Amino acid sequence: MASASSGSSHHGLTENQKRWLVAGIALNKILMPQIRPYVEQGIKTEYNNLKTSHNIDGQSTSGRLKKWPQPLKYENINGNDGHPKLSGGKYDYSLFDCRVTSHVDFARLYVENYMAKFNAFDDHCDASAVVSLLGRVPVFSAAVKTAAGDVRMARNDWAHCVFSKWDQVKFLQSFTEMEQLVKVMALQCR
């Protein structure tokens, strides 16, 4: 007879698979829709401040804001990733259109290229992108960044479908981390 944590149930799923499934539903279908508006509002605030202070919406390639506070990925906007790369695999930034014309484009500067396919803060802006933004955009507090990092690690474990990791302890920890993120976000909103 198989153990309760790894054996088959009458539905063909192990207990670990069931926990993995529930954690994924909680993260992607309950938590993310609730926190996307908060993330979007923070991104809008930061973007609008940079429009005023750095003219980010009209900047040229040579006068672009390069870091805020980390390097910005201009290859993620305006079709810049379609330009040929130089030898060594680096982009020729002189060819880039560096005008950041929306808060969504501003958000896309902070995520990896494969995450930057969203055009709105909707289901296409997935959990990976959302927690990356919370962890990288300076408008979010250190406490939010830390909590988002913990959720990001749990999300990565979930996304890689290593069912053996999803024992009772991991399952409860993932919910504790999601709850902590909500709490620190609420404190920042005060």
Side-chain angles (χ1 to χ4, degrees), residues 66-139:
K66 294 179 183 176
K67 293 187 340 182
W68 195 259
Q70 63 187 36
L72 300 174
K73 299 175 184 295
Y74 287 95
E75 60 269 24
N76 290 345
I77 63 169
N78 302 330
N80 290 330
D81 62 344
H83 291 294
K85 292 183 179 180
L86 301 170
S87 61
K90 296 193 177 210
Y91 285 103
D92 181 356
Y93 281 95
S94 69
L95 302 174
F96 279 17
D97 176 355
C98 292
R99 293 173 294 143
V100 184
T101 58
S102 72
H103 70 286
V104 174
D105 279 350
F106 179 67
R108 293 169 65 207
L109 297 176
Y110 283 92
V111 298
E112 297 302 322
N113 186 267
Y114 66 89
M115 291 183 214
K117 308 306 179 201
F118 59 92
N119 292 315
F121 286 86
D122 58 13
D123 286 344
H124 297 288
C125 184
D126 69 4
S128 180
V130 169
V131 293
S132 291
L133 291 168
L134 285 170
R136 295 179 179 157
V137 180
V139 72

Side-chain angles (χ1 to χ4, degrees), residues 21-22 38 40 42 51 53 55 60 66 70 72 76 91 105 109 111 139 158 174:
L21 183 62
V22 170
Y38 167 87
E40 183 173 23
K51 279 181 20 180
S53 66
N55 193 32
S60 66
K66 294 179 183 176
Q70 63 187 36
L72 300 174
N76 290 345
Y91 285 103
D105 279 350
L109 297 176
V111 298
V139 72
W158 173 82
S174 72

